[in-house]
Amino acid sequence: MTVIVLTNFPAGLRGLLTRWLLEISPGVFIGSPSSRVRDTLWHEVQQHTGQGRALLAHTTNTEQGFAFRTHDHKWHPVDHEGLTLIRRPSQTTEAPPSPPTIGWSRASKRRRFGTR
């Protein structure tokens, strides 16, 4: 079983993949091609994706029972003691929290002074 998930890809790539796989949802292709055809399709996906991202998942003879590959994806597969895990990018780009405002909030003013 092979699953290819594409985001932001050119329309010509859809036609190439539908020769070998079924498109069950926009950008999600599934089928059972041979390993040679699967590798050829993945090579073509990498060549023609452009600005988009791609993910390939397929069955294999491992402890997990599957393997996957990514192309131009922020999350990368990492081998950890024989298991393939996903490494997420670090969240260091967060802005520091803004300092609290000084004074009374509108809600507390309404409660204290009874105005609406």
Side-chain angles (χ1 to χ4, degrees):
M1 181 62 68
T2 300
V3 178
I4 297 178
V5 180
L6 301 174
T7 56
N8 193 18
F9 60 98
L13 189 56
R14 173 178 278 139
L16 175 75
L17 290 176
T18 54
R19 293 180 194 165
W20 297 97
L21 307 170
L22 294 173
E23 187 173 16
I24 60 171
S25 182
V28 180
F29 300 87
I30 190 169
S32 296
S34 66
S35 61
R36 174 181 274 173
V37 172
R38 180 187 67 228
D39 292 339
T40 303
L41 287 174
W42 183 243
H43 178 71
E44 293 295 324
V45 165
Q46 289 177 323
Q47 295 297 317
H48 299 293
T49 302
Q51 298 293 330
R53 297 181 305 186
L55 174 81
L56 167 74
H58 60 90
T59 57
T60 186
N61 191 13
T62 62
E63 286 186 20
Q64 286 179 305
F66 64 90
F68 52 91
R69 305 177 203 169
T70 61
H71 175 70
D72 284 348
H73 215 276
K74 291 181 181 177
W75 295 12
H76 297 284
V78 177
D79 184 34
H80 179 72
E81 296 181 5
L83 296 176
T84 304
L85 304 173
I86 292 288
R87 180 183 304 239
R88 296 180 183 184
S90 63
Q91 299 287 336
T92 59
T93 59
E94 286 185 14
S98 60
T101 57
I102 299 173
W104 295 81
S105 69
R106 290 182 188 162
S108 62
K109 287 179 187 177
R110 287 184 190 134
R111 280 192 300 258
R112 182 169 179 129
F113 301 114
T115 60
R116 291 190 183 217

